[in-house]
Amino acid sequence: MATALSTDHLLSNEEGGLSAQQISVVRMSHAARQLLRTETLPAHIRTVLELMCLPVTALWCRVLRFDPAAPDWPDRDRFVVPSTTMQPLLRAMLRLTGEKKHAAVPLEYGRHPAVEVAPGPAGQGVAAAAGMALAEQALCRRFGRSLVNHRTWVLAQDTDLATGVAMEAAQLAGRFGLDRLAVLVAPPSEPDTADFVDSLTRFSASGWTVRKVEADNLPAITSALAATLRARKPTLIACLPSAAPLSPLGPDLPPEEELTGPWSPTARRGASTRRSWLRRFARHRQRTAFEREQTARPPTLFHEDWQRAWEWRMRTALETSTQESGLAGLDALSDILPELTCLTAASAKNAPPSDQNTAGWQRPVALAKGRECGIQEHGMAGMLNGLALHGGVLACAAASMMTVDRMRSALRMAAFMRQKVLYLLTGDGLALGDGGGAWQPVEQLASLRATPNLAVFRPGSAEETFKSWEAALHWQGGPAVLVLCPHQNTPLRFPAAVLGGATRGGYVIRSPEKRQVTLIASGPEVAIALEASHHLAQRNIRAAVVSIPCWELFAAQPGTYRRAVLGGAGLRIGIEAASGFGWERWLGPEGIFVGMDDFGTSAPANALYERFGITAEAICEKVEHHLFASGAARGASSFAPDQPRARARGPLLTRP
C-alpha cells in the first residue's frame, strides 16, 4: 500500500488545521476532482460539479449509510441523482468507495444497483425523493427504528427546484413532516442567480430548513450535515461558491489506498451498519411481515379475504356505480394490506353523485385514511414513483380523471421504470362537472392506452370493477389505471360471461348463433351495447356484445382467443364515450366507431350522449344502414312491430 503522506502540520488546532477525518474527506474530494477531469464535460457543468465535489464527498465519507458490497439492502440511505448532468459525480463516488465488480456496470437505472431513479424531466427526481422519504416514514411507524432508520439525500440542480412538480412535492414534504429528506444543490454558473434565490425562498416558505454554506468550507459543510441529522423539517443545503477558496491540501495530492475502495470510510461504516442491522433483523418479531412486504408478496389467503372484505363494503354502498365499487375495493384493500399507502387529491370524491344520497353519504375509508394532497396532483404523482421505488409499500392514488394531464409526466416515468403504481381516476363519463363541458374526457383514454407498460382498466359494472382490481394487482409490467364512472348504470348487472372473463381483458357477454354484428364497448357504454343488441334482435339482426375493460390484457391473450371473442366475420361496432383513436386494432378496416370527436357542451349526460349519437337507437340505425347497404340484412324489417321507436336517451342516471 502507498505510504501515507505526512499531514501533521494540518492536525494542529493551534494552527487552525484540520482533523484526521477532515483530511481524509479533503483527499477524497481531490481524488474525485481528478476523476471528473478525465471526463469530457461542458465548462458550465464542470464548474457546478467541482463546486459540489467537497460537500458530496463529506456526505459520503461522514454520513451516508451505504455499503458498496450490498448497494440495495433495505435500510440503506437513498442517494438520488435525478439528472444525467450530476451523474459524473456519482460515478466518481462509486469508483472511490465501491467494489471492482460494479465498475464495469453502466451507470443506468435498472442496471447499476446504486442508481435509485432514472433521469427524467426536471423536478421529477425531487418529487420521487419526497416519496421515498414518505415511504420511510410509513415503514418506520410500522416496524420501528430498529429496522427502518435511513434517510433520503438528493443531489439536485438549480433547475429542479424551479419546477412546479418540485414545488408541489416540497409543500407536501413540509406538510407531512418528512424530516429525513435533504436536498443538496448549487447555484447556476451564470452570474444571474435571482431564480435560484427565489427557489430557496419558496422552499423555506414550504416548511423547509434552508442552510447556506460555502462549498469549499469543510467545517461549515460538516456542521450543516450534522444539523440536518437533528432537523425536525426537510432540509435544503445550498452550496455556494466563496470569494476566497480554502485549499488545505494540494489539488494534486492523491488519497492513500487505505481511503479508497473497500477500505474507504463509506465502505467500512456501511458494512458495519449493515451487519448490525442484519443481527437485529434476524431476531425481530416482525421479520416475516417485513420480508413479505419487501418482496411484494401477497398475504396468505389474500384473495379470499379481499373478496369477503369487498362484498362487506359493497353492502353499505349507496349505489353500484363503478366509482362506488372501485372505492369499496380500495377500502377492502386497506383492511387487509397494511403496506397500502394511498395519496388522495381533493378532486377524487368530494360529494355524492346525487342529492338524494347526501344524508347517508360518508367519505370512503381509504380516502379518509389516505394522505391528503389537495390540488397538488403533479407533486402527488411524482411522490408515488418514490413510494414504489423505495419498496415495502404498495403505492396508490385517487384523483379525478380530468387531472390525469397534470400527472402525465410522473405516470410516464413510472411506466418507463416499470414501477407498480395504482391510480384510481374518478369522474369518468360525460356528466357535467364543475369545469363545464370543456373538460369532459375526449383524448385522455387514447393517450393513456398509447403509453407503453401502462394498463388502463375501464370497467362497466361492479363485478367488472372487482375483476379489474384483481387484474391490476397482478399487473407487473408497470403502473395500472382504473377509470371509474360516478353514475349508476342500467342494467345494474351484466349477464354472465359467455366466453372468457374480465381478468382476460376482454370477453363475450352476449353471443347469439351465427352473429352478424359484434358490439364492442367498455365502461358504461357496455350497457348501451346490451340495450342495442336487444333492439337489433327484435329487428332480426343477431348481435353479440363484447366488453373490453383492458386493452393491454386483451392484446396479451392468444390470437385464437381474441378471434373467438371478436368474431371471425361480420360487422364490428366500437362504442365508447371518448376518441376513437386506436380502436381500429379491434374493429378492422370495415368497422364503425361510435364515440366523441369534439368537446362536450354544458349539458347533462343524457343530452350529451344524444348529441354524440351514443345511444342504443342511434347505434341500431347505423347497423341497419350498413347491413342493408352491403346486402347482409336485406328483407329484414326496419323496426319490430311491438317496439315503437323511442326518443334517444342516455344510459346514465344523472341530475338534469
Side-chain angles (χ1 to χ4, degrees):
M1 294 191 179
T3 303
L5 298 178
S6 176
T7 55
D8 293 340
H9 67 285
L10 297 173
L11 302 179
S12 174
N13 291 329
E14 297 178 356
E15 297 178 5
L18 301 177
S19 66
Q21 290 181 335
Q22 290 174 327
I23 291 173
S24 66
V25 172
V26 174
R27 288 182 179 275
M28 293 286 287
S29 175
H30 287 313
R33 285 191 174 93
Q34 292 178 7
L35 291 176
L36 291 177
R37 295 190 185 104
T38 62
E39 300 199 21
T40 303
L41 300 171
H44 66 284
I45 293 179
R46 185 180 301 278
T47 300
V48 174
L49 291 177
E50 292 189 353
L51 181 66
M52 293 297 296
C53 202
L54 185 60
V56 171
T57 306
L59 171 64
W60 277 63
C61 288
R62 302 292 301 277
V63 178
L64 194 71
R65 291 163 54 100
F66 176 75
D67 185 4
D72 54 353
W73 67 292
D75 201 33
R76 71 191 182 279
D77 277 2
R78 270 62 175 178
F79 186 71
V80 179
V81 183
S83 66
T84 55
T85 300
M86 308 301 290
Q87 277 193 346
L89 194 50
L90 173 61
R91 186 180 298 109
M93 291 295 102
L94 292 174
R95 287 187 60 183
L96 292 173
T97 63
E99 294 188 345
K100 293 182 178 180
K101 64 180 181 180
H102 294 143
V105 179
L107 200 62
E108 298 176 5
Y109 173 79
R111 302 185 66 180
H112 199 293
V115 179
E116 301 286 355
V117 63
Q124 286 294 333
V126 176
M132 293 179 186
L134 180 60
E136 190 275 340
Q137 184 186 79
L139 291 173
C140 177
R141 290 176 179 176
R142 294 194 54 237
F143 298 103
R145 287 290 176 211
S146 59
L147 287 187
V148 184
N149 188 26
H150 57 268
R151 296 177 177 271
T152 302
W153 305 87
V154 188
L155 180 58
Q157 288 185 274
D158 62 293
T159 52
D160 289 317
L161 306 187
T163 58
V165 59
M167 284 309 309
E168 290 188 8
Q171 292 177 21
L172 294 174
R175 183 186 308 170
F176 298 153
L178 304 181
D179 56 353
R180 289 180 164 253
L181 172 63
V183 176
L184 280 72
V185 66
S189 57
E190 291 80 6
D192 186 9
T193 60
D195 291 341
F196 180 73
V197 174
D198 291 343
S199 297
L200 300 184
T201 303
R202 287 192 292 267
F203 268 72
S204 178
S206 299
W208 286 55
T209 298
V210 177
R211 302 184 183 277
K212 299 178 181 179
V213 298
E214 293 182 348
D216 50 13
N217 189 338
L218 184 55
I221 294 170
T222 304
S223 177
L225 293 175
T228 300
L229 301 181
R230 302 187 301 268
R232 301 281 182 92
K233 301 178 181 179
T235 302
L236 175 66
I237 301 177
C239 304
L240 309 176
S242 64
L246 301 176
S247 299
L249 296 176
D252 297 326
L253 191 61
E256 296 90 340
E257 292 183 10
E258 291 84 352
L259 297 180
T260 59
W263 301 277
S264 65
T266 303
R268 287 186 281 111
R269 185 184 61 257
S272 175
T273 303
R274 186 172 67 91
R275 286 193 298 268
S276 299
W277 181 85
L278 289 173
R279 287 192 293 268
R280 294 193 304 272
F281 177 67
R283 58 179 181 268
H284 200 279
R285 60 184 179 86
Q286 292 181 287
R287 173 183 175 179
T288 302
F290 188 85
E291 285 182 329
R292 180 189 66 78
E293 295 175 15
Q294 288 294 323
T295 55
R297 298 196 313 268
T300 306
L301 300 177
F302 163 73
H303 182 76
E304 293 80 358
D305 292 341
W306 181 40
Q307 187 165 9
R308 282 194 295 267
W310 180 79
E311 291 174 352
W312 183 83
R313 291 286 183 184
M314 287 300 295
R315 290 195 189 101
T316 60
L318 298 174
E319 57 181 51
T320 57
S321 67
T322 59
Q323 179 168 305
E324 193 74 18
S325 55
L327 292 174
L330 182 60
D331 288 344
L333 279 180
S334 67
D335 291 339
I336 61 177
L337 285 183
E339 64 265 31
L340 178 68
T341 301
C342 184
L343 304 182
T344 62
S347 59
K349 188 176 182 183
N350 293 324
S354 56
D355 291 334
Q356 66 261 23
N357 294 333
T358 303
W361 182 79
Q362 294 180 351
R363 186 169 178 81
V365 176
L367 299 190
K369 294 194 304 184
R371 300 295 187 107
E372 291 283 352
C373 298
I375 61 172
Q376 296 158 319
E377 293 92 350
H378 198 179
M380 178 188 74
M383 292 180 66
L384 283 175
N385 293 342
L387 286 169
L389 288 165
H390 182 279
V393 298
L394 177 59
C396 180
S400 170
M401 173 66 175
M402 295 319 304
T403 63
V404 69
D405 290 326
R406 299 193 64 233
M407 301 185 289
R408 191 174 302 278
S409 295
L411 192 58
R412 192 174 186 274
M413 284 289 295
F416 171 73
M417 294 184 292
R418 297 178 179 268
Q419 291 300 309
K420 187 172 185 177
V421 181
L422 302 177
Y423 283 84
L424 268 72
L425 301 182
T426 61
D428 176 36
L430 293 180
L432 179 62
D434 295 336
W439 292 107
Q440 289 153 358
V442 181
E443 77 283 2
Q444 279 77 14
L445 279 174
S447 61
L448 289 174
R449 288 167 176 160
T451 305
N453 308 326
L454 174 65
V456 181
F457 297 86
R458 190 170 186 256
S461 66
E463 291 77 12
E464 271 196 5
T465 305
F466 179 78
K467 295 297 183 182
S468 295
W469 256 119
E470 184 180 10
L473 289 173
H474 286 90
W475 178 259
Q476 299 297 330
V481 175
L482 273 73
V483 182
L484 308 173
C485 180
H487 298 282
Q488 185 170 291
N489 298 327
T490 303
L492 299 180
R493 298 177 64 91
F494 294 162
V498 177
L499 174 63
T503 54
R504 304 190 70 173
Y507 65 106
V508 181
I509 296 179
R510 186 175 187 271
S511 180
E513 294 183 2
K514 298 180 180 180
R515 68 171 82 170
Q516 297 172 277
V517 180
T518 302
L519 304 178
I520 310 170
S522 75
E525 289 73 61
V526 177
I528 303 177
L530 284 170
E531 184 180 356
S533 69
H534 292 305
H535 292 345
L536 291 172
Q538 293 170 346
R539 304 174 191 185
N540 298 323
I541 299 177
R542 299 179 297 275
V545 178
V546 173
S547 174
I548 306 185
C550 181
W551 289 18
E552 292 74 21
L553 286 180
F554 188 61
Q557 301 302 315
T560 54
Y561 175 78
R562 295 199 305 269
R563 287 189 293 270
V565 170
L566 298 176
L571 176 64
R572 295 179 184 177
I573 305 291
I575 309 168
E576 191 171 64
S579 169
F581 184 82
W583 269 90
E584 61 275 1
R585 69 186 301 187
W586 312 126
L587 302 181
E590 303 298 329
I592 299 175
F593 179 75
V594 178
M596 299 171 61
D597 57 0
D598 195 3
F599 295 106
T601 57
S602 296
N606 289 351
L608 292 175
Y609 270 85
E610 181 179 342
R611 173 192 168 182
F612 289 111
I614 313 175
T615 61
E617 288 80 2
I619 293 170
C620 290
E621 289 183 4
K622 289 188 176 182
V623 170
E624 285 186 319
H625 176 76
H626 188 278
L627 293 181
F628 280 115
S630 62
R634 193 173 305 279
S637 60
S638 298
F639 302 100
D642 58 342
Q643 177 69 24
R645 187 173 183 182
R647 183 178 181 271
R649 54 187 175 85
L652 305 178
L653 302 178
T654 180
R655 290 179 290 183

